[in-house]
Amino acid sequence: MLATPNATLAKIPKTSLDYMAEGYWQDFIADRPIAGGIAYEKQLHECQLDESLASLQRVDTLILQIRRDITKAKDQSEGLGEVALLADERYRNLLLFLAFYAGRVLARQWQSEPHWYEQFELKKHFDTLPLIAEDFYQSMAVVYSNNSNDSADIFFALEPMGLRLFGYIDRQFQAVQGGQVASGLYQAVSARLPKNNGIDESVTAEPNVEHYSESVDVNPRLIDDENFQSQRLPVQATEHREIPVTKLAVAQQAEPSIVDVAASVKPKISEMPTNFSATTTQLQTVSPLKVSITPEIFTQLLIELDEIEVPQATGHDDYLQACKILDQFEHHIARQNKPRDQVTFSEHHQAARQQALIRLQNSAESGNTTAMLRLAMYELLGEGQIADAEASKVVGTDWVKQAANSKDVRAQRLLSKMYYQGIGVPQEVSSGQYWLEEAAKNGHTEAADLVAEWQQAQTLITSQKQEQHSIKRYQVLVGVVVLGAILLIVFI
């Protein structure tokens, strides 16, 4: 909910943060050093900060790179954690600069001038906000639209960066204005775009939820074969990577059973390719009449999302609306009998798909684990909102882990497969077995059967070892008796 200010914000004098934000931006574009220094300055320039929405996607990718660097430093016991990062002036300047930049991009969409408030000013002008004292992520916010009424739109731009750096598994983030914090600057800004303004022209096929709901009728008849055929673009005019197909038959080797694992001491990892962009030629184990390059791990997940019901407290409507669109794309692609990267769509259909992904992410961010898993699938396949392949895998894995930690048995089973097969995570048999057992304990039938088979196999191996040990003891005893008899005969 938006807070109500105590005074009209139609004409707001510049604040100290406004001057600071302008100074940061002018220094950056003039390639002048920022006072106190700024971390990842070279990478910032490589993000091509042109004040477009697309640039925020590049910024989100950079933030994920910083997250990976932090994780790596922690693994190497170098102590680069949240406290250390926020205590470093260069990193604080980086986060402040990116917050100023996001506010600048958002205000541009509203054709307005951004105005920044520090926390004491926020408490003065927006006294209903439940601000936490000395919380860095709540230390400032931007007013990005000049409304003539008594309400004002405000954006805490540090929150989505904090979540992207330290959220998901590390700790929970709660938005000042209620609900879940967006998982990145692009998503957070997209959710606040003006309803009648759409997206700026620098970003293609990325409509916001409100604009899309007005321009496209969200119903199962939105996309049919005739429309797809008539509005198809040339191959070179659009890029479309693989989209998984629900319940599509795949002739790939499945994950080995636990009996196989026990019999060979260590798991026999599936021969299923882990390169998600593999071509049909590389997977030509199926009949020419059935083309599919969707890894079995994800086709099985889609089946489980339909067949295994996990109650959801939030985000159900957004999830259903997203699936109405995404399922139609999957069914259409499944009927094309060609590699997915050769299936093209019109800009209108691409916009519909992007909007569905935004709704799916909204549902996931509200805490809907079903949406988390489907969104994770797209990110792991390189079909989500994030363009960078490595960053996309990190986000996809984080969504699976978040759902698994929320005791979603489908997520726990999926995470076990990911660890067994090394998809999105390092290949770790012990972690795979842990999550398999968690899924079994929480009621996943297949996982329970596999664990039972594992236990039976372990019992069989133990019994065989005991029998072999008993036979050896018997053989030794017989040998001793025979030797004693021979000695007795010799001496007698």
Side-chain angles (χ1 to χ4, degrees):
M1 296 296 293
L2 296 176
T4 301
N6 293 334
T8 302
L9 297 172
K11 295 182 179 180
I12 306 176
K14 284 191 175 183
T15 68
S16 58
L17 281 181
D18 290 339
Y19 288 108
M20 181 178 177
E22 186 65 25
Y24 270 33
W25 179 245
Q26 292 300 327
D27 287 343
F28 179 79
I29 61 177
D31 204 17
R32 294 192 296 263
I34 292 176
I38 185 170
Y40 290 85
E41 184 173 4
K42 178 182 176 181
Q43 292 86 338
L44 267 179
H45 283 284
E46 292 173 352
C47 287
Q48 301 177 21
L49 303 184
D50 54 7
E51 300 184 68
S52 68
L53 285 173
S55 68
L56 294 180
Q57 291 181 313
R58 298 190 287 271
V59 168
D60 284 338
T61 299
L62 173 59
I63 296 174
L64 280 177
Q65 178 60 52
I66 298 172
R67 175 187 172 93
R68 289 196 294 271
D69 293 345
I70 292 171
T71 303
K72 181 179 179 181
K74 288 173 67 177
D75 292 341
Q76 296 175 352
S77 301
E78 295 180 9
L80 184 60
E82 182 176 11
V83 175
L85 185 143
L86 295 181
D88 189 320
E89 183 178 9
R90 296 176 66 251
Y91 279 96
R92 285 202 316 275
N93 287 341
L94 171 65
L95 296 181
L96 291 174
F97 173 82
L98 290 177
F100 291 147
Y101 178 71
R104 187 181 187 91
V105 173
L106 182 56
R108 179 187 178 189
Q109 295 295 317
W110 284 88
Q111 299 181 351
S112 176
E113 183 179 358
H115 289 285
W116 286 90
Y117 285 121
E118 293 185 79
Q119 193 174 92
F120 78 92
E121 293 172 315
L122 288 170
K123 291 180 178 179
K124 177 181 178 181
H125 292 280
F126 304 95
D127 52 13
T128 60
L129 286 174
L131 295 171
I132 300 175
E134 299 182 356
D135 187 322
F136 174 77
Y137 306 107
Q138 300 178 9
S139 61
M140 64 182 197
V142 64
V143 177
Y144 53 84
S145 66
N146 293 331
N147 293 327
S148 59
N149 54 29
D150 292 334
S151 65
D153 298 318
I154 56 178
F155 175 37
F156 289 82
L158 290 170
E159 288 182 335
M161 288 190 286
L163 177 67
R164 208 165 185 83
L165 284 171
F166 306 108
Y168 299 113
I169 307 304
D170 304 325
R171 71 181 185 87
Q172 296 295 318
F173 274 74
Q174 189 69 27
V176 174
Q177 295 163 291
Q180 295 290 320
V181 177
S183 63
L185 287 174
Y186 174 79
Q187 178 65 21
V189 170
S190 296
R192 292 170 171 80
L193 294 179
K195 295 183 179 181
N196 299 323
N197 211 27
I199 301 281
D200 68 352
E201 295 178 356
S202 61
V203 181
T204 59
E206 298 279 1
N208 63 68
V209 174
E210 294 85 353
H211 176 71
Y212 172 75
S213 63
E214 295 171 1
S215 61
V216 180
D217 180 21
V218 181
N219 63 63
R221 295 176 296 175
L222 168 65
I223 303 168
D224 55 32
D225 287 341
E226 182 179 354
N227 286 335
F228 267 122
Q229 298 294 340
S230 63
Q231 299 189 41
R232 185 166 300 172
L233 296 176
V235 174
Q236 67 271 20
T238 184
E239 177 184 358
H240 193 280
R241 291 168 289 178
E242 303 163 30
I243 304 177
V245 181
T246 308
K247 302 181 181 178
L248 186 64
V250 198
Q252 296 174 343
Q253 293 188 7
E255 180 184 356
S257 69
I258 300 302
V259 173
D260 296 329
V261 174
S264 60
V265 181
K266 63 180 181 179
K268 176 183 176 183
I269 303 301
S270 168
E271 295 179 3
M272 178 188 70
T274 55
N275 180 7
F276 297 147
S277 60
T279 63
T280 308
T281 303
Q282 293 171 308
L283 298 175
Q284 199 64 35
T285 57
V286 297
S287 166
L289 298 178
K290 281 290 185 179
V291 177
S292 174
I293 50 178
T294 303
E296 186 273 340
I297 187 174
F298 296 122
T299 57
Q300 183 61 36
L301 170 65
L302 287 171
I303 292 172
E304 290 192 353
L305 291 181
D306 287 338
E307 296 183 350
I308 301 177
E309 184 177 353
V310 175
Q312 304 294 330
T314 58
H316 186 61
D317 290 341
D318 272 336
Y319 176 76
L320 291 180
Q321 291 296 323
C323 288
K324 285 181 181 179
I325 304 302
L326 296 173
D327 286 347
Q328 292 177 70
F329 275 87
E330 293 169 0
H331 294 326
H332 173 77
I333 295 172
R335 291 191 289 267
Q336 299 311 298
N337 193 30
K338 64 173 66 175
R340 293 181 181 276
D341 57 3
Q342 294 181 16
V343 180
T344 58
F345 304 101
S346 69
E347 292 183 1
H348 173 77
H349 289 135
Q350 290 284 30
R353 184 178 180 279
Q354 287 298 321
Q355 179 53 57
L357 289 176
I358 290 176
R359 288 201 173 198
L360 193 64
Q361 185 154 342
N362 288 340
S363 177
E365 290 173 350
S366 73
N368 188 300
T369 58
T370 305
M372 291 178 192
L373 290 173
R374 185 147 183 175
L375 183 60
M377 178 189 73
Y378 287 118
E379 295 293 357
L380 289 168
L381 286 167
E383 289 289 340
Q385 299 269 29
I386 300 174
D388 180 77
E390 291 301 316
S392 184
K393 288 180 182 180
V394 171
V395 172
T397 301
D398 280 344
W399 280 122
V400 177
K401 289 181 177 179
Q402 186 173 346
N405 286 328
S406 298
K407 298 188 182 301
D408 188 309
V409 296
R410 303 161 303 183
Q412 292 171 339
R413 176 64 182 122
L414 174 61
L415 192 54
S416 73
K417 292 180 181 180
M418 290 169 63
Y419 274 114
Y420 275 128
Q421 300 175 20
I423 297 176
V425 292
Q427 194 174 59
E428 295 178 0
V429 173
S430 59
S431 296
Q433 184 177 350
Y434 169 79
W435 285 109
L436 181 70
E437 292 174 347
E438 285 295 298
K441 182 173 65 177
N442 291 315
H444 192 286
T445 304
E446 181 204 19
D449 291 341
L450 289 174
V451 169
E453 290 178 8
W454 173 283
Q455 293 172 344
Q456 291 173 3
Q458 291 289 72
T459 301
L460 178 60
I461 292 174
T462 302
S463 300
Q464 289 176 342
K465 289 181 178 180
Q466 291 176 345
E467 289 177 3
Q468 291 173 355
H469 184 64
S470 298
I471 290 173
K472 288 181 180 179
R473 291 181 59 187
Y474 176 75
Q475 290 173 341
V476 171
L477 179 60
V478 170
V480 171
V481 172
V482 171
L483 179 60
I486 293 174
L487 291 175
L488 181 61
I489 292 173
V490 170
F491 285 106
I492 293 177

